[in-house]
Amino acid sequence: MHFELTEEQLMIRQAARDFAQTELKPGVIERDEHQKFPAEQIKLLGELGFMGMMVSPQYGGSGMDAVSYAIVMEELSKIDASASVVVSVNNSLVCYGLEKYGNESQKQKYLAPLAKGDVIGAFCLSEPEAGSDATALRATAIDMGDYYLLNGTKNWITSGSTASTYIVIAQTDASKKHLGINAFVVDKGTAGFTVGAKENKMGIRGSDTHSLHFNDVKVPKENRIGQEGSGFKFAMSVLEGGRIGIAAQALGIASGAYELALKYAQERKAFGKAIADHQAIQFKLADMATEIEAARLLVYKAAWLKDNGLPFGNASAMAKVFTSETAMRTTTEAVQIHGGYGYVKEYHVERLMRDAKITQIYEGTSEIQRIVISREALK
């Protein structure tokens, strides 16, 4: 068992780290304050090959492994989780789903531009009354012969207004329950498809989160992904990989907060010495470092399993639960170590604390992941 990164992975980490410092950090507070989407930065990430990291070069991707993807997500998330969540959705949910389940025509038409970063993708599963329960979908896609007629509303959609390609999960035959669900590719600008108001969020405020409305939207038959009735399987499969991306995002948020707290503790003086010399602070830093290292190993294990074609659903659920809770604990302690300065925006840690909370909620709440883990244990 090897714990060292390869030379290529180390180079990828350095490239992501440099990008985060030079391109993401300037303006990150302003983007958070004004809910400004990092459009220029996302375009540059596409040019670096980070928007289709695991996609085959045949379809415009970088052909990297899942461990490298987790590394990039961590480095970007240390600085700007709003940018990294766009990278996560595009890679883990949209590109992965199209490459694994799409036909050749769909890959050429949709996957290649997404993998190159020419356009952004969105994954549309959640609804007002169907979040983690994908079998409770109200959105319908009725088979009309040459096309499907799509109606319904989707909530909490990352890149809701900036995406060009939307993967929409809808119910075609409710009597078949989960076997009556399908996944479709819907183009922006299709008649009857409208974007709702932008959500005013507590964290990841730079990412644009919207509700989407579909009113008699005609979806061509060729835009269905996979066989009839395979949409539930499609959604569950891509969400397994999506949990790795979100776990890596939470890991990055925690790592970023820890690095800031460590630096501040070494510079700030109280009672005649740096606060890092006080045992109370040392204990906090030790716990933060230990939990982050444990979280990193869980994330890398899940990614390694995926790279090697081994079952990784349980591992990704464990990684997502542990890293998201580590992110909350670490960012809270980072604010505490900063004292009053931790409560103001210019020191970054209050934003990281706000960003950390969402990692416990999306891609299936921590409670849902615990159900996944316990089911595996009780087999």
Side-chain angles (χ1 to χ4, degrees), residues 213-232:
H213 307 287
F214 303 92
N215 182 20
D216 286 344
V217 175
K218 292 183 178 180
V219 181
K221 273 290 180 68
E222 59 265 27
N223 280 29
R224 188 190 70 214
I225 302 173
Q227 298 298 314
E228 177 68 40
S230 64
F232 181 79

Side-chain angles (χ1 to χ4, degrees), residues 100 115 137 139 158 193 214 222 248 254 260 298 350 357 370:
K100 184 172 182 179
L137 297 177
T158 298
F193 172 23
F214 303 92
E222 59 265 27
L260 289 169
L298 282 170
E350 65 84 28
K357 186 58 190 176
R370 284 185 168 89

Side-chain angles (χ1 to χ4, degrees), residues 50-359:
F50 288 165
M51 295 301 284
M53 290 188 66
M54 296 171 286
V55 176
S56 167
Q58 177 184 354
Y59 301 111
S62 302
M64 300 182 194
D65 59 4
V67 173
S68 295
Y69 164 61
I71 290 168
V72 169
M73 280 297 298
E74 178 182 354
E75 293 301 325
L76 300 180
S77 303
K78 287 180 181 180
I79 304 299
D80 188 356
S82 293
S84 71
V85 72
V86 179
V87 175
S88 177
V89 170
N90 206 73
N91 274 280
S92 294
L93 303 182
V94 181
C95 286
Y96 175 72
L98 282 169
E99 185 166 30
K100 184 172 182 179
Y101 294 99
N103 58 40
E104 187 62 26
S105 175
Q106 291 167 345
K107 291 176 184 178
Q108 293 293 342
K109 182 177 180 180
Y110 294 110
L111 178 59
L114 287 161
K116 294 174 184 175
D118 294 339
V119 297
I120 298 172
F123 183 75
C124 311
L125 175 62
S126 296
E127 297 181 4
E129 296 183 26
S132 299
D133 184 4
T135 62
L137 297 177
R138 299 290 182 89
T140 59
I142 305 304
D143 190 341
M144 304 298 288
D146 294 333
Y147 60 88
Y148 290 90
L149 198 63
L150 177 63
N151 283 280
T153 296
K154 294 295 180 178
N155 271 21
W156 317 117
I157 307 304
T158 298
S159 304
S161 68
T162 52
S164 297
T165 302
Y166 299 78
I167 293 182
V168 182
I169 315 298
Q171 183 72 258
T172 299
D173 187 343
S175 67
K176 295 181 180 179
K177 299 183 178 178
H178 71 282
L179 295 177
I181 295 172
N182 282 293
F184 305 92
V185 181
V186 180
D187 295 291
K188 190 173 191 175
T190 303
F193 172 23
T194 58
V195 177
K198 186 175 184 177
E199 302 290 352
N200 188 3
K201 307 187 299 293
M202 178 176 80
I204 57 167
R205 288 169 57 81
S207 70
D208 62 318
T209 306
H210 293 257
S211 58
L212 307 178
H213 307 287
F214 303 92
N215 182 20
D216 286 344
V217 175
K218 292 183 178 180
V219 181
K221 273 290 180 68
E222 59 265 27
N223 280 29
R224 188 190 70 214
I225 302 173
Q227 298 298 314
E228 177 68 40
S230 64
F232 181 79
K233 178 183 177 181
F234 171 90
M236 295 303 100
S237 175
V238 298
L239 286 173
E240 279 190 351
R243 288 197 290 265
I244 295 175
I246 297 308
Q249 182 188 47
L251 171 62
I253 293 169
S255 297
Y258 168 72
E259 290 174 7
L260 289 169
L262 181 64
K263 183 175 184 293
Y264 181 82
Q266 292 170 315
E267 295 172 349
R268 177 78 163 93
K269 288 185 169 53
F271 304 103
K273 58 183 178 181
I275 63 172
D277 293 332
H278 294 282
Q279 194 176 66
I281 300 298
Q282 292 172 357
F283 283 179
K284 289 181 184 293
L285 293 170
D287 287 345
M288 292 159 78
T290 301
E291 288 195 15
I292 289 168
E293 186 62 19
R296 186 175 290 113
L297 291 172
L298 282 170
V299 173
Y300 285 8
K301 179 185 177 182
W304 181 87
L305 289 170
K306 184 174 185 290
D307 284 332
N308 285 274
L310 299 169
F312 63 91
N314 195 51
S316 68
M318 287 182 174
K320 203 268 187 182
V321 168
F322 190 80
T323 55
S324 63
E325 297 193 352
T326 295
M328 277 307 304
R329 284 191 293 268
T330 301
T331 55
T332 302
E333 289 287 42
V335 170
Q336 191 71 18
I337 288 171
H338 279 74
Y341 292 109
Y343 214 62
V344 296
K345 295 184 182 298
E346 65 182 288
Y347 284 80
H348 296 282
V349 286
E350 65 84 28
R351 173 174 48 81
L352 290 171
M353 185 173 71
R354 288 187 284 108
D355 288 348
K357 186 58 190 176
I358 192 62
T359 66

